[in-house]
Amino acid sequence: MRAVVLLFDSLNRRFLPPYGASGIHAPNFSRLAERSTRFETCYGGSMPCMPARRELHTGRHNFLHRSWGPLEPFDDSVPQMLSENGVYTHLVTDHQHYWEDGGATYHNRFDSYEFFRGQEGDAWKGHVADPIEPEDSPRRIRHGLWRQDLINREYLRDEADHPQTRTVDAGLEFLATNRDEDGWMLQIECFDPHEPFFSYAQYQRLYGLDPEDPRRTDWPDYKRADEDVETVERIRDEYSALLSMCDASLGRILDRFDEDDLWKDTLLIVCTDHGLLLGEHGWWGKNVQHWYDENIHTPLFVADPRHGGAGETRKSLVQTVDLGPTLLDFFGIPATERMQGRSIAPVLAEDAPIREHALFGTFGGHVNVTDGRYVYMRAAVDAGNGPLFEHTLMPTHMNQRFSPAELVDAELHPPLSFTQGAPVLRLPGRAMGSSADLGTALFDLETDPEQTHPLLDDALELRMITLLLEAMRQADAPPSQYLRLGLPEHGPATEEHLLARAQHPTYLASLAPLPSAEQFAATSPVVVSPLRELMADEDRAQILRSQLGGAADSLARLAGASTLLQLAPLSPLLRHAVLAELDARLTAVPAS
């Protein structure tokens, strides 16, 4: 038995022809759908990248207990379990986050691995001198990744040199080398079509893009989409061009499956970690906003030689946490009792349901549940978004260790149900804003697939809260999460736990048009003063911190050259009412 997992990052299912997309050049995804079973109701779980990968290894949710980080000492790892049971595992990838502090324990669970450099500001080529920045770019947060990406692109002028191409080359090499061997699993993991949407001329021309156009619009900030219509469409076309490049890579894998007739004895899973908002609902990206369908309802294709099903569709609900147990099941290895995921084999065989609900979200953000039709997005009950705690023995963020200041209040917490008897550190956590600033929402995907009409249905919300509580309790959610969300840790939910109606004005306010310069005086500090300049004034900095909390310092650090008005798309906090109050308070305090 052999298995190939082909994972593309940030794959928006609505851009794929097998899921109804039009105007997208992706013939190999259509070809894949003809040779595999397509899943209609697959959802991600813990977001974003590394939390999703922890789910792939462990078969259980990450986001209720911890933010981005490595595999824990007590974690199950499907690749390691396969290896320990005689299945050789190999990883080829250009996903640079594996090699950062917050991902350093994942790739070592494979028997062997190859990594290809250069994606998304990967700290690859060393240039002391700053690169020449493009003059025409709407991007406001020009951090170190932005700088490094400009450098890296100088070394990726030919498609053959691109890390996606080299990753697929390495995957094909493994398949050729081990063509006559049995008992292996290969994971081909492509960082694309994750931003930046960097591709080549032949793909750009498919969408009418001019490769010589000096505008740099292929890396939008994670924010409200406040660009003009032409720019929004251009960014979506650049994503489409990169998706077409991914489609070409997929075609190379399918060619090898055809040439060596791997279909007869090799499991193929083509999946993603999550989608991406590309202007839908007025947003770019992920993490802060609601987890809309475009972000979390993911594509999944499976060709299992045991079940057939080529060209067929399955509608039963499945989730990311189910993929690891599916691999174990394929090789005849039992899942551990700690795994929440279930093998999707019954769904493949006869579309038999394996779960009643899917739980998803990001650490400190909305906690969400779906039954496949209704989606409930539960926000925190108040703007403080607390209490919120990390539970970990690996205190690292994405690309840095926890600072000593973050560890000052750490305490040893008794073992959790899934930590195999090991205690964990519990310490104050932090989130990307507060979900209470966006509000709770409930949607019916059957009657409202675009999620434009949130429901106010108390009976339905109570049913979804009951499902949410069941999912949280199965995940052994910590008590702090119930308090943060205003839900009972024990016992049934009642009408006092309803929140959608109370937070509906907040939800509507989050969709309101962004504030404009015309709403303020021409000399308003909100309009004319860079945030870095305001924060350098002690009195004004105090006003900003009292109004915005820690967001004042983080925004100043990331995009301090912008004004508060320019930063409004980046933070739900900076609505018109808040900016108006800041305008009055800042104007009343003369600059020192």
Side-chain angles (χ1 to χ4, degrees):
M1 305 293 280
R2 294 97 68 89
V4 175
V5 177
L6 176 56
L7 192 159
F8 293 103
D9 196 299
S10 305
L11 198 56
N12 185 325
R13 73 196 291 272
R14 297 189 178 203
F15 278 68
L16 297 179
Y19 286 97
S22 60
I24 302 295
H25 182 84
N28 291 301
F29 274 100
S30 297
R31 177 181 164 197
L32 171 65
E34 294 172 357
R35 296 303 305 263
S36 67
T37 303
R38 178 174 59 88
F39 284 72
E40 278 287 346
T41 320
C42 179
Y43 278 78
S46 296
M47 297 292 105
C49 299
M50 277 315 172
R53 280 152 184 80
R54 190 181 180 207
E55 288 196 347
L56 290 168
H57 278 253
T58 66
R60 64 173 298 114
H61 297 298
N62 167 95
F63 75 99
L64 293 171
H65 297 89
R66 200 194 68 176
S67 59
W68 186 301
L71 282 174
E72 301 278 354
F74 47 77
D75 276 348
D76 297 310
S77 168
V78 167
Q80 182 174 326
M81 291 175 65
L82 292 172
S83 178
E84 290 171 346
N85 284 273
V87 179
Y88 191 93
T89 58
H90 185 63
L91 169 70
V92 295
T93 185
D94 57 350
H95 194 106
Q96 74 284 359
H97 295 309
Y98 278 123
W99 273 260
E100 296 171 333
D101 291 337
T105 56
Y106 290 88
H107 57 281
N108 290 298
R109 307 283 71 77
F110 291 82
D111 287 305
S112 52
Y113 50 82
E114 295 181 80
F115 173 45
F116 300 95
R117 305 294 302 271
Q119 289 280 23
E120 193 212 23
D122 173 27
W124 180 32
K125 297 295 186 180
H127 284 207
V128 176
D130 286 334
I132 298 174
E133 290 202 7
E135 294 182 4
D136 192 358
S137 171
R139 188 170 178 85
R140 289 162 198 171
I141 298 180
R142 302 193 177 190
H143 42 40
L145 294 178
W146 165 269
R147 177 189 185 277
Q148 186 67 50
D149 183 68
L150 293 174
I151 294 168
N152 291 349
R153 291 193 192 198
E154 293 297 314
Y155 298 87
L156 303 176
R157 294 185 180 276
D158 192 289
E159 185 178 357
D161 299 324
H162 193 279
Q164 181 194 145
T165 304
R166 298 181 66 200
T167 295
V168 175
D169 287 345
L172 293 172
E173 179 187 15
F174 179 91
L175 292 174
T177 301
N178 300 285
R179 158 186 301 117
D180 299 322
E181 303 299 326
D182 196 20
W184 51 255
M185 188 275 281
L186 168 66
Q187 183 162 317
I188 304 173
E189 186 171 334
C190 297
F191 187 69
D192 294 323
H194 191 290
E195 71 282 354
F197 310 136
F198 170 52
S199 65
Y200 295 89
Q202 64 267 37
Y203 305 109
Q204 295 168 356
R205 292 192 180 105
L206 292 171
Y207 302 94
L209 295 168
D210 179 1
E212 303 302 321
D213 193 322
R215 288 178 292 175
R216 173 72 187 279
T217 55
D218 59 18
W219 196 350
D221 290 293
Y222 285 4
K223 64 176 184 64
R224 292 278 298 275
D226 64 330
E227 295 83 359
D228 59 68
V229 173
E230 179 188 356
T231 302
V232 169
E233 287 304 314
R234 177 179 171 82
I235 296 171
R236 290 170 63 87
D237 286 342
E238 287 176 312
Y239 175 86
S240 300
L242 183 54
L243 177 59
S244 292
M245 182 175 167
C246 293
D247 182 79
S249 292
L250 170 63
R252 297 170 65 201
I253 303 296
L254 297 182
D255 287 345
R256 179 57 53 84
F257 264 71
D258 289 342
E259 291 162 8
D260 293 342
D261 194 19
L262 295 176
W263 304 104
K264 70 178 184 297
D265 63 3
T266 305
L267 173 70
L268 175 63
I269 298 174
V270 180
C271 59
T272 188
D273 48 359
H274 51 71
L276 194 73
L277 284 173
L278 292 153
E280 302 96 340
H281 308 282
W283 283 93
W284 299 115
K286 55 185 186 288
N287 296 341
V288 174
Q289 62 276 67
H290 294 84
W291 286 96
Y292 288 111
D293 200 62
E294 293 84 354
N295 255 354
I296 199 67
H297 189 176
T298 57
L300 175 64
F301 304 86
V302 180
D304 187 334
R306 300 172 303 173
H307 297 296
E312 296 179 2
T313 297
R314 299 291 184 267
K315 295 184 178 181
S316 294
L317 181 63
V318 299
Q319 197 168 17
T320 306
V321 291
D322 299 322
L323 297 182
T326 299
L327 281 169
L328 293 175
D329 176 59
F330 181 76
F331 287 103
I333 303 167
T336 72
E337 70 278 4
R338 292 171 293 277
M339 291 184 172
Q340 297 172 268
R342 302 170 178 89
S343 171
I344 65 173
V347 185
L348 280 165
E350 53 185 358
D351 212 359
I354 60 170
R355 56 172 57 251
E356 294 181 4
H357 49 66
L359 178 72
F360 56 93
T362 189
F363 181 72
H366 287 82
V367 178
N368 315 270
V369 71
T370 182
D371 62 359
R373 173 178 176 176
Y374 298 103
V375 177
Y376 183 57
M377 306 174 181
R378 178 82 180 198
V381 291
D382 60 58
N385 198 40
L388 182 64
F389 293 101
E390 299 264 8
H391 299 76
T392 182
L393 288 176
M394 302 290 287
T396 60
H397 299 298
M398 181 172 75
N399 53 12
Q400 63 191 39
R401 299 164 293 172
F402 277 42
S403 68
E406 290 178 283
L407 295 169
V408 165
D409 294 323
E411 56 184 356
L412 200 61
H413 188 278
L416 302 169
S417 65
F418 54 90
T419 62
Q420 303 193 60
V424 295
L425 288 176
R426 190 182 84 159
L427 58 157
R430 61 188 185 195
M432 298 180 185
S434 173
S435 57
D437 294 326
L438 295 166
T440 294
L442 173 63
F443 293 98
D444 180 352
L445 291 179
E446 184 174 298
T447 61
D448 182 25
E450 303 304 318
Q451 294 173 292
T452 57
H453 299 92
L455 299 174
L456 296 178
D457 183 326
D458 292 351
L460 177 60
E461 183 183 3
L462 192 58
R463 184 175 80 80
M464 297 305 292
I465 291 174
T466 299
L467 287 181
L468 179 60
L469 287 174
E470 181 179 328
M472 291 176 65
R473 290 167 184 170
Q474 289 175 358
D476 193 21
S480 54
Q481 290 284 6
Y482 297 95
L483 291 171
R484 186 176 74 91
L485 299 170
L487 293 173
E489 183 179 359
H490 306 287
T494 65
E495 291 184 357
E496 68 178 295
H497 300 113
L498 298 173
L499 197 56
R501 193 178 299 277
Q503 290 190 342
H504 188 60
T506 302
Y507 178 80
L508 294 179
S510 74
L511 304 178
L514 289 161
S516 64
E518 291 72 22
Q519 294 171 298
F520 302 91
T523 57
S524 166
V526 164
V527 176
V528 301
S529 301
L531 179 57
R532 189 176 296 128
E533 179 182 302
L534 293 173
M535 292 296 290
D537 184 307
E538 184 174 341
D539 292 334
R540 290 183 160 189
Q542 185 175 347
I543 291 171
L544 289 165
R545 291 190 181 106
S546 69
Q547 187 80 39
L548 304 178
D553 291 285
S554 61
L555 287 170
R557 184 179 68 256
L558 292 170
S562 300
T563 67
L564 285 166
L565 183 65
Q566 291 170 333
L567 292 174
L570 275 76
S571 175
L573 284 174
L574 296 176
R575 296 179 184 147
H576 178 259
V578 173
L579 288 180
E581 184 172 346
L582 282 172
D583 176 42
R585 295 178 67 186
L586 293 170
T587 301
V589 178
S592 59

